[in-house]
Amino acid sequence: MIQLSDHFDYKRLLRFTFPSIVMLVFASIYGVVDGFFVSNFAGKTPFAAVNFIMPVLIILGCAGFMFGTGGSALIAKTLGEGNKKRANEVFSLLVYAAAGSGVVLAAAGFALMPAIAAGLGAQGQLLEDSVTYGRIILLALPFYILQMEFQCLFVTAEKPKLGLAVTVAAGVTNMVLDALFVGAFRWGLEGAAAATTISQLVGGAIPLAYFGRENSSLLRLGRCRLDGGALLKACTNGASELMSNISASVVSMLYNAQLMAKAGEDGVAAYGVLMYVSMIFQAIFIGYSVGVAPVVGYHYGAGGREELKGLLRRSAVLIGSFSVVMCLAGEGLGRPLAVLFVGYDQGLLDMTAHAFSIFSISFLFSGLAIFGSSFFTALNDGLTSALISFLRTLVFQCAAVVLFSCLWGLDGIWWSIVAAEVMAVAVTLAFLAGKRKKYGYL
């Protein structure tokens, strides 16, 4: 079994991070299943509604990723310092805090969903469908937040394969129920939402049962005291991931508004396809970053600077290789993927395929920025990590989409994503160079 304290060459890095990569890719794929079934069996307007309200749901659910990534860094560092009892107390505190926040956010979201959807510009059937889908999904929000948190913490517990198994179980549940509820029973939007809700219950409940009893991992749920310092540190560490998810959702709302103005519901639907496919491709970067972060955190806590140097160097090579492969794959698979979602509408198909030919270029750059932010989170430098994420996912994207859409119309919206990623890489490289002496990784 690979341990956090081991020396990591390329082979061991890939073996240790592979379950996390597959886990995040699979989670993205089963998230895409809703879109596929809704688009092909319920129609274009319900499909647009799912994409329209999804950013709001992601904002509410991203607390889990904040607790997971930030907590993972703190727990791994504590383990590296040799304090296993303290690590388990922090682990328990973060799980309980995530569950409690999920209940509060679900109640608030359920009550405010109509006002939120209307405020974003939804009207008529689009408004009704958006509220329906959103409210059903929110029923399982506490479990979704826990699922997102445990995706990171399974790696820290040295059980990445078990985390993958839980994600597969949740994903298969969603896919089977989508085929049954939407494809066979023709329950439409409501059926797709119900399938996702049940799958999130599975994804959150299984880890609770595992960590709540004696197990063979490094971590177990138990008693803990309210430690405001640890909670604040974990939230600060994970602020970049929280910011990244919130910013991406806010930017998605801005893109939807721009696309509604320039291309109507077709523009929103085309952007939805890009985001679905992007989730799968970028899940490779995110999965690798999640998988390697506890290793970085452990060796930082243990004072292993030479190991940090090797981890950064090898990660840069792997991320660069992934980037080239995914850009080429995106260029080659853009139209076939568009056919899968919107092949029933020739005009929408052409728009989506053209958009994807531009959007795929962004994969050359996005991986390094994603890894850079996660790397600083693992070093417990939440501020630097948050700055990279904030600039990448909010400032650069918002500025680019507003400016480029004015200059080049619809094509400018697609190119703005590429421009934002290029600027994010420049910022990431600047921070890596500026912080090299403090952390000793170069």
Side-chain angles (χ1 to χ4, degrees):
M1 182 180 71
I2 299 176
Q3 298 179 324
L4 297 179
S5 57
D6 290 346
H7 168 70
F8 283 78
D9 55 16
Y10 283 108
K11 182 178 179 180
R12 187 161 291 179
L13 261 180
L14 288 172
R15 283 179 59 200
F16 190 74
T17 58
F18 182 73
S20 296
I21 294 172
V22 176
M23 177 175 64
L24 268 294
V25 169
F26 194 83
S28 300
I29 289 174
Y30 87 71
V32 169
V33 170
D34 270 357
F36 170 78
F37 277 99
V38 170
S39 180
N40 286 278
F41 290 92
K44 185 163 61 177
T45 298
F47 180 56
V50 171
N51 298 313
F52 191 84
I53 205 62
M54 187 59 70
V56 177
L57 300 174
I58 291 174
I59 287 176
L60 293 175
C62 67
F65 213 46
M66 176 189 71
F67 285 117
T69 54
S72 177
L74 181 58
I75 294 166
K77 180 175 179 290
T78 306
L79 288 170
E81 294 167 345
N83 195 342
K84 186 175 179 180
K85 180 176 181 294
R86 170 68 174 154
N88 274 281
E89 290 175 350
V90 173
F91 167 71
S92 300
L93 173 64
L94 294 175
V95 171
Y96 302 148
S101 68
V103 173
V104 173
L105 290 171
F110 194 91
L112 297 174
M113 188 58 63
I116 293 172
L120 292 173
Q123 299 177 353
Q125 190 62 44
L126 181 63
L127 173 60
E128 183 179 335
D129 287 347
S130 297
V131 172
T132 298
Y133 186 83
R135 279 183 161 173
I136 295 174
I137 294 294
L138 286 175
L139 295 175
L141 183 66
F143 290 92
Y144 176 64
I145 287 177
L146 287 172
Q147 180 182 355
M148 296 298 292
E149 180 181 38
F150 282 124
Q151 283 180 349
C152 303
L153 295 179
F154 268 121
V155 182
T156 312
E158 295 183 345
K159 293 292 182 179
K161 292 181 180 179
L162 184 56
L164 172 59
V166 171
T167 301
V168 170
V172 170
T173 300
N174 192 27
M175 294 179 195
V176 171
L177 292 181
D178 263 326
L180 185 64
F181 293 169
V182 185
F185 295 165
R186 300 301 175 105
W187 289 351
L189 193 71
E190 292 86 349
T196 298
T197 299
I198 295 171
S199 74
Q200 290 171 356
L201 289 171
V202 171
I206 293 177
L208 276 178
Y210 175 77
F211 286 111
R213 60 179 179 82
E214 279 292 338
N215 61 74
S216 59
S217 79
L218 295 177
L219 303 173
R220 184 187 176 185
L221 284 172
R223 292 183 178 181
C224 64
R225 60 185 177 85
L226 180 58
D227 186 338
L231 198 57
L232 179 62
K233 181 63 176 176
C235 291
T236 303
N237 286 344
S240 58
E241 281 69 29
L242 176 68
M243 179 60 67
S244 178
N245 282 276
I246 291 177
S247 299
S249 298
V250 170
V251 169
S252 292
M253 296 175 197
L254 178 59
Y255 272 84
N256 284 335
Q258 294 284 339
L259 288 164
M260 281 290 286
K262 296 186 179 298
E265 287 187 8
D266 278 7
V268 175
Y271 180 66
V273 175
L274 295 189
M275 291 303 99
Y276 278 131
V277 177
S278 173
M279 283 194 300
I280 297 173
F281 279 53
Q282 293 197 3
I284 296 174
F285 298 134
I286 298 171
Y288 178 83
S289 299
V290 167
V292 79
V295 182
V296 173
Y298 183 94
H299 286 285
Y300 173 59
R305 290 201 165 193
E306 288 302 315
E307 191 66 28
L308 282 180
K309 291 179 182 179
L311 286 168
L312 179 59
R313 182 175 64 252
R314 296 181 187 99
S315 294
V317 172
L318 291 172
I319 290 291
S321 302
F322 295 158
S323 299
V324 173
V325 171
M326 283 189 283
C327 177
L328 295 175
E331 293 292 342
L333 297 174
R335 192 168 190 88
L337 290 171
V339 169
L340 184 66
F341 283 92
V342 293
Y344 54 81
D345 187 315
Q346 187 63 45
L348 179 55
L349 171 61
D350 291 339
M351 178 190 296
T352 305
H354 174 68
F356 210 92
S357 68
I358 299 172
F359 177 74
S360 296
I361 300 172
S362 68
F363 295 135
L364 286 173
F365 307 98
S366 58
L368 181 57
I370 290 171
F371 171 76
S373 176
S374 178
F375 184 72
F376 282 110
T377 296
L379 294 173
N380 284 256
D381 188 346
L383 178 60
T384 301
S385 180
L387 281 171
I388 294 173
S389 291
F390 177 74
L391 291 171
R392 172 181 172 258
T393 57
L394 186 63
V395 176
F396 294 153
Q397 292 254 13
C398 288
V401 71
V402 172
L403 177 62
F404 283 30
S405 64
C406 291
L407 294 175
W408 298 299
L410 189 59
D411 269 2
I413 295 177
W414 312 131
W415 277 109
S416 66
I417 302 171
V418 180
E421 296 291 4
V422 171
M423 290 186 283
V425 166
V427 168
T428 302
L429 292 175
F431 275 121
L432 285 170
K435 299 273 186 174
R436 66 188 185 281
K437 291 184 179 179
K438 179 178 180 180
Y439 297 111
Y441 49 70
L442 287 177

